[in-house]
Amino acid sequence: KRYPWGDTIGGSNANYLGSGDPWDDDTSPVGYYPANGYGLYDMAGNVDEWVNDWYDSGYYATLADGVVNPQGPGWGSSRVLRGGSWVNTTDYLRCANRSNLNPSNTNVDFGFRCALSYNADS
């Protein structure tokens, strides 16, 4: 799918530039939009989210078929950003979109996601 919830987008799905939602010029409260099919909130829009992976434009091409949750290269000068933000158009909110910046960069539309690791055997 193009977005975490499907192939179309509107102001009721995510906070992005021109969405017409109440938060069109700023960040929205966490969980304001409905969860996607996996029960995850705010996976697109609101803020670009830093992820742990270092960026390498050719990294995915080096992976064998069937690799699940690749961890990215072991080092680099830029970290990956995902999800698009409230200052982005819908193209940046695509599931496959990723950008990169030096991790010392800051901006009002950058943030991070706290994730809980789940072990099904526990």
Side-chain angles (χ1 to χ4, degrees), residues 3-101:
Y3 304 105
W5 52 83
D7 289 325
T8 60
I9 191 170
S12 63
N13 300 113
N15 184 14
Y16 61 92
L17 185 65
S19 65
D21 70 359
W23 317 102
D24 205 30
D25 293 324
D26 202 351
T27 57
S28 59
V30 173
Y32 177 80
Y33 298 93
N36 67 14
Y38 297 103
L40 303 172
Y41 291 87
D42 305 316
M43 295 300 292
N46 212 25
V47 295
D48 281 299
E49 295 172 344
W50 291 106
V51 298
N52 190 49
D53 295 2
W54 289 105
Y55 178 77
D56 177 348
S57 63
Y59 177 73
Y60 289 116
T62 67
L63 298 175
D65 288 342
V67 171
V68 176
N69 192 23
Q71 299 301 300
W75 59 273
S77 60
S78 296
R79 293 269 188 192
V80 174
L81 287 159
R82 293 247 187 207
S85 76
W86 59 274
V87 301
N88 293 135
T89 59
T90 58
D91 288 341
Y92 289 97
L93 276 59
R94 295 179 309 110
C95 291
N97 187 64
R98 66 186 180 128
S99 57
N100 67 93
L101 284 172

